[in-house]
Amino acid sequence: MKPLSGLRVVDLADEKGELCGRLLADLGAEVIRLEPPGGAISRELPPFTPDGRTSLYFAVRNAGKRGGVVDLETEAGKERLHELLSQADLLIESTLPGTLERLGLAADALRERHPGLIVTSITDFGQDGPYAAYQGTNMVGVAMGGMLHRAGIAEKPPVMIPGNLAYDVAGIAGALGSLLAFWKRLQTGVGQQIDVSAMDATVGIADWSLPNYSLNPNLGHRAGTGIYTLYRCADGFIRMIILVPRHWRALKEWIGNPEEIADPKYDQFIQRLIELDKIVPVLERFFADKMKTEVAVEAQRRGIPATPLLRPDEVLENEHTRARGTFRKLPVAPGKPALVASGFFTIDGERAGPESGPPELGELGEGGFTESAARREMQALLERAPRPPTGGQPLAGLRVIDCGVGAVGVEMGRCFADYGADVIKIESSDLPDFIRVILSSYMNPSFLSSNRSKRSFGVDLRTEKGRALVHRLVQTADVFIENNGTGTMEKFGLGAEQLRELNPRIVGFSSQSVGSYGPWKNWIGYGPNTHPVSGLQHLWNHPEDEESPAGSTAVHPDHLVGRLGAMAALAGLILRERSGRGSHHDAAQFETPIGLMADIFAQESLAPGSVHPAGNASSRGAPWSCLPCDGDDEWCVVNVRSDAEWQQLRKAIGDPQWTHDPALDTAEGRIARRAHIDGQLAVWTSERDPRSVMETLQEAGVPAGIVAHPAHHLSDPQLVHRGYPKLVVQPDYEALMLEGPSFLGSDLPEVVTEPAPRLGQHTREIASELLGLSKAEIEALIEEKVIEDPPEEFKIL
């Protein structure tokens, strides 16, 4: 049984956040997708099947749902909605703030009529605040969320990430917020409204930009692949990320210890970074006659994080994705099968993904939700006597063992700590989280952000006694998190099966770079290693530069996988409430960008060779552009979706003569003259700062946004209105601004925002209070170097 079997969802989300309902359906929920009589907007969104009749955007984000039609402008339509809500647990909607209120369907009114209902509202900027009424698009969300500014090369405009990142990230945030609200409903019997902002959700995955900028206000410029170098091989490129000394030594040995890079100074990452222009030619000379995948395989055999840069067709058909079942055939419309990404997770070894295609318009007729044993179990759970959580925090009373490193696991742990869970970070000065020590100290802004509000247990898992102590912690824990190399946790007696033996009720989550099974399962890597192997690197570019990969220095998808992990673990906890049993959830990091580009890969499977980098352009309309503004590397985005918006744009910029060309009055004409429009419009934008451009065009009803960076975010009026930036005073360090939550809740308190722990800060406390050790026993274990207090000096490894 899937963890959310028996959960009932009514889904009104259209274009933005549609992945929310898809994810809940993947996890077992019954989701009814309601559309207006003419069909959803997203049925008209690219990409399309080769005949142009079926939207793959709609298909992949609505796979596994059932479909109905409702006209909310009519009383009959409203009553039909109420009929379904009377049987449902959750409503997802994405209308512009105020729309449902105008229809007499405001969230408060819905929850009054349907007690216990959770209403998840997914919008571009949130339910209120200075931007609430702004027009949004996915591109505006990516730009305002800070994921556009660093993408591409300095010589060209910032380049859009392929897919629909902002709206899909908002969907993931919506699913996480929905399950958090549902978990609290199980405690209180009370529903609530979850208010998701696509902007907030996107800022949250922008690589710790707020805390790092608040310590060091230096923006830098776009650098393409930057420090995550791509090396040319005989048939393409590989990415190697050489951060730690052992990887550098292994690389030198492999290529024969050439004299040019023999100087010991290159053992230090910062020195290699400074002299990268001297190192790259040496390595490319060695790789020049070798095939990219063969190079990656040999590098990985030597313990070096390397991945080949794959094109979309190579992603669809390689030994690893085939063995993992990364794609499966599903109908994207009746009689039209395509290869569709098979889901973001496995649960206890089984894929959790769509098992059917998208619904046909109105296929449900007057039907409703189905009756099942799973629904009866869920109903019994909902009818339990309330048990309100201490202090209102929904996750208070849960204990999480966090063996995460870098970003994935630790970000997942942070999601639990934000809402009151006791999160215990397992670490030692000999085996530290590499993000903790990356700046040659035990504290830095990135580590602080992801590890706030946790406790640190300094313990050496290489020792038998250390492992025994952690095993005892696992026996009374609720959640276990890890994202180490495949097989690492098994060596410590903490693999999925071993966890189940220690604690049959524990909910586990594991994530490896390319997954824990398949021919490449032992490959190691960091977030940027997933860009080449998932196809993201190839597609994240301007179309004219297809053979010169650009991309971004972002560690995406690390932060996002952490949020997916938190969502999956909450689903596992909900299942445990019914079954009494735990479960283990697994996510391969490279499959997250694949899942976010599922419609693009479906297109490639239907029309091989059709998918190429699109840059900033869209077939939806023109202008669809990133344009220069007044200031140092300041940019804005402008999107026109309709002829009406084009007329509004003309008026807003003063109706200059060049806009009078009749050919520009239609979308087809504007798309054909895209470059001309961009050049003319850039003259206007370059004389204005990006905020002025955004405000002028938004006042006219034209989607536009700042290409935001952390200097904008620190004082952005919408983020400040929503309480997004969080101040933390870190003892013996600095006061920094940290990222806030991706969503707000009408019955969720402020997120817990406390300092990050020093390494081993809570070792004695945990040993005494949770493990019941005496002072003498604790001292003996410290003397034996099994556990440790905070180090007095930084240890160079």
Side-chain angles (χ1 to χ4, degrees):
M1 181 171 65
K2 289 186 175 181
L4 299 184
S5 295
L7 186 74
R8 290 174 168 177
V9 181
V10 174
D11 187 357
L12 290 169
D14 198 352
E15 184 181 2
K16 61 181 72 78
E18 289 188 63
L19 190 60
C20 176
R22 217 303 294 281
L23 286 167
L24 297 178
D26 286 356
L27 293 168
E30 182 179 6
V31 181
I32 294 179
R33 172 71 156 92
L34 293 181
E35 303 177 63
I41 293 170
S42 57
R43 287 189 184 270
E44 303 300 323
L45 296 182
F48 295 98
T49 52
D51 62 9
R53 295 179 180 176
T54 300
S55 166
L56 296 170
Y57 182 106
F58 177 88
V60 302
R61 291 168 179 83
N62 291 279
K65 302 177 186 177
R66 304 170 70 207
V69 167
V70 64
D71 185 353
L72 295 180
E73 296 290 343
T74 68
E75 290 305 313
K78 293 174 189 176
E79 282 308 307
R80 171 64 172 152
L81 175 64
H82 283 301
E83 176 190 355
L84 290 171
L85 292 181
S86 69
Q87 308 167 48
D89 307 301
L90 172 66
L91 169 68
I92 308 167
E93 64 92 13
S94 63
T95 59
L96 195 68
T99 302
L100 292 185
E101 185 175 7
R102 176 182 63 79
L103 294 170
L105 298 169
D108 287 347
L110 290 175
R111 291 192 295 112
E112 184 176 346
R113 180 162 172 174
H114 307 286
L117 181 69
I118 294 157
V119 179
T120 297
S121 298
I122 302 173
T123 58
D124 292 280
F125 302 105
Q127 291 298 301
D128 52 29
Y131 302 168
Y134 274 12
Q135 293 293 316
T137 63
N138 175 70
M139 187 180 196
V140 169
V142 172
M144 297 286 281
M147 284 295 285
L148 181 56
H149 186 262
R150 289 192 300 146
I153 58 175
E155 296 77 16
K156 291 192 174 184
V159 62
M160 272 292 288
I161 187 171
N164 288 273
L165 181 74
Y167 282 176
D168 285 341
V169 169
I172 292 168
L176 175 58
S178 296
L179 293 187
L180 188 68
F182 186 75
W183 181 259
K184 189 164 187 183
R185 180 191 166 185
L186 293 179
Q187 300 166 327
T188 65
V190 177
Q192 61 178 300
Q193 182 178 21
I194 296 296
D195 172 10
V196 180
S197 157
M199 178 183 177
D200 293 9
T202 306
V203 176
I205 65 168
D207 285 9
W208 308 289
S209 57
L210 271 182
N212 279 287
Y213 183 81
S214 63
L215 178 68
N216 178 20
N218 179 16
L219 289 172
H221 292 279
R222 291 179 309 290
T225 58
I227 65 173
Y228 307 124
T229 312
L230 291 170
Y231 300 90
R232 186 176 290 276
C233 302
D235 63 338
F237 297 85
I238 64 160
R239 167 164 284 160
M240 288 192 302
I241 301 179
I242 311 297
L243 298 180
V244 299
R246 70 178 183 276
H247 295 157
W248 174 246
R249 290 192 291 267
L251 176 60
K252 285 199 302 179
E253 181 182 350
W254 179 21
I255 67 173
N257 290 303
E259 185 64 29
E260 301 100 311
I261 57 175
D263 193 318
K265 69 181 181 181
Y266 292 129
D267 289 348
Q268 299 301 314
F269 169 71
I270 190 65
Q271 195 62 44
R272 296 196 300 275
L273 187 60
I274 292 170
E275 301 190 38
L276 202 58
D277 60 335
K278 297 179 181 179
I279 295 172
V280 171
V282 176
L283 299 180
E284 289 192 335
R285 186 172 67 229
F286 179 77
F287 298 140
D289 62 347
K290 299 173 179 64
M291 307 300 278
K292 60 189 179 185
T293 300
E294 294 172 2
V295 170
V297 168
E298 179 59 20
Q300 290 284 352
R301 189 185 71 80
R302 294 170 177 267
I304 300 167
T307 46
L309 193 158
L310 303 181
R311 295 172 180 266
D313 61 308
E314 295 172 315
V315 177
L316 285 169
E317 286 292 336
N318 65 65
E319 61 173 351
H320 191 62
T321 53
R322 283 198 302 269
R324 286 187 55 82
T326 299
F327 299 93
R328 63 174 297 178
K329 273 200 170 182
L330 280 180
V332 293
K336 294 180 181 178
L339 288 177
V340 174
S342 57
F344 294 88
F345 311 104
T346 61
I347 303 174
D348 291 334
E350 298 292 328
R351 274 281 176 182
E355 298 176 358
S356 60
E360 294 184 60
L361 182 62
E363 67 177 23
L364 192 61
E366 295 301 311
F369 291 100
T370 58
E371 293 296 332
S372 66
R375 178 57 192 175
R376 289 189 290 275
E377 284 184 13
M378 186 67 79
Q379 195 64 44
L381 196 60
L382 291 166
E383 291 170 358
R384 291 187 321 188
R387 298 172 295 170
T390 304
Q393 290 292 353
L395 304 184
L398 293 178
R399 181 164 297 130
V400 178
I401 305 302
D402 182 356
C403 289
V405 295
V408 173
V410 293
E411 279 286 291
M412 176 179 169
R414 179 205 137 188
C415 290
F416 275 83
D418 279 352
Y419 295 98
D422 177 18
V423 180
I424 298 175
K425 184 172 183 65
I426 304 299
E427 55 181 341
S428 74
S429 56
D430 285 332
L431 289 175
D433 180 346
F434 71 86
I435 286 293
R436 187 190 267 282
V437 299
I438 197 167
L439 297 183
S440 298
S441 72
Y442 287 126
M443 189 58 63
N444 59 69
S446 301
F447 179 87
L448 195 169
S449 175
S450 291
N451 291 279
R452 67 185 88 166
S453 312
K454 299 178 184 178
R455 297 200 283 174
S456 171
F457 186 53
V459 58
D460 191 342
L461 282 169
R462 297 170 303 177
T463 67
E464 184 177 350
K465 289 183 179 179
R467 292 192 295 273
L469 293 174
V470 175
H471 290 180
R472 287 175 60 190
L473 290 176
V474 166
Q475 288 171 341
T476 58
D478 300 286
V479 176
F480 180 88
I481 301 168
E482 69 91 12
N483 63 299
N484 298 273
T486 300
T488 301
M489 288 294 101
E490 282 78 2
K491 294 175 184 176
F492 298 142
L494 295 168
E497 292 303 320
Q498 295 156 317
L499 289 170
R500 190 171 285 116
E501 291 176 7
L502 289 167
N503 180 355
R505 288 177 52 81
I506 200 159
V507 174
F509 178 79
S510 297
S511 182
Q512 280 69 48
S513 182
V514 293
S516 59
Y517 62 94
W520 301 345
K521 68 179 182 180
N522 292 317
W523 285 17
I524 58 174
Y526 306 93
N529 279 112
T530 68
H531 296 190
V533 77
S534 66
L536 176 61
Q537 186 78 48
H538 177 75
L539 293 172
W540 200 344
N541 208 349
H542 295 284
E544 65 273 18
D545 298 330
E546 185 167 4
E547 300 307 318
S548 301
S552 168
T553 53
V555 302
H556 175 71
D558 280 10
H559 298 267
L560 194 55
V561 179
R563 285 151 179 76
L564 283 164
M567 183 195 75
L570 277 170
L573 289 169
I574 291 167
L575 175 62
R576 190 183 73 172
E577 290 294 294
R578 288 189 284 168
S579 69
R581 299 188 305 274
S583 51
H584 198 86
H585 306 245
D586 180 280
Q589 290 155 38
F590 88 114
E591 288 182 341
T592 291
I594 287 174
L596 297 181
M597 298 186 292
D599 48 359
I600 297 174
F601 284 110
Q603 178 188 354
E604 175 68 19
S605 78
L606 292 168
S610 64
V611 170
H612 300 277
N616 294 326
S618 171
S619 61
R620 290 189 70 182
W624 206 276
S625 316
C626 182
L627 302 168
C629 294
D630 183 35
D632 179 23
D633 202 28
E634 297 286 356
W635 302 81
C636 64
V637 295
V638 180
N639 298 158
V640 166
R641 300 168 293 191
S642 64
D643 294 343
E645 286 182 352
W646 169 247
Q647 296 302 325
Q648 291 156 206
L649 173 67
R650 287 181 56 180
K651 183 177 180 181
I653 66 174
D655 201 25
Q657 187 62 39
W658 65 268
T659 66
H660 293 193
D661 181 351
L664 302 183
D665 290 340
T666 67
E668 293 77 8
R670 292 191 297 275
I671 288 172
R673 294 160 180 78
R674 188 188 303 276
H676 170 68
I677 294 173
D678 285 356
Q680 294 291 340
L681 195 54
V683 174
W684 183 80
T685 62
S686 62
E687 296 174 347
R688 294 159 175 82
D689 66 78
R691 179 163 296 280
S692 175
V693 172
M694 178 182 73
E695 291 176 347
T696 299
L697 296 185
Q698 286 285 358
E699 187 175 355
V702 177
I706 299 166
V707 177
H709 48 65
H712 295 127
H713 288 155
L714 276 176
S715 58
D716 182 87
Q718 182 69 13
L719 292 178
V720 171
H721 174 84
R722 289 174 62 82
Y724 185 85
K726 302 295 184 185
L727 177 66
V728 166
V729 179
Q730 182 70 31
D732 302 319
Y733 190 63
E734 297 280 351
L736 298 181
M737 299 302 292
L738 306 184
E739 306 88 348
S742 301
F743 50 83
L744 304 175
S746 58
D747 192 34
L748 292 179
E750 277 282 321
V751 292
V752 179
T753 311
E754 300 292 339
R758 291 175 294 146
L759 196 158
Q761 179 179 339
H762 304 95
T763 298
R764 291 174 180 267
E765 176 181 296
I766 291 166
S768 173
E769 295 178 7
L770 299 185
L771 297 173
L773 300 180
S774 68
K775 288 184 179 180
E777 289 172 319
I778 292 170
E779 292 296 342
L781 289 170
I782 289 175
E783 183 68 24
E784 294 177 55
K785 300 188 183 310
V786 173
I787 61 176
E788 63 182 310
D789 287 320
E792 295 181 2
E793 296 180 351
F794 181 73
K795 183 183 292 187
I796 299 175
L797 300 175

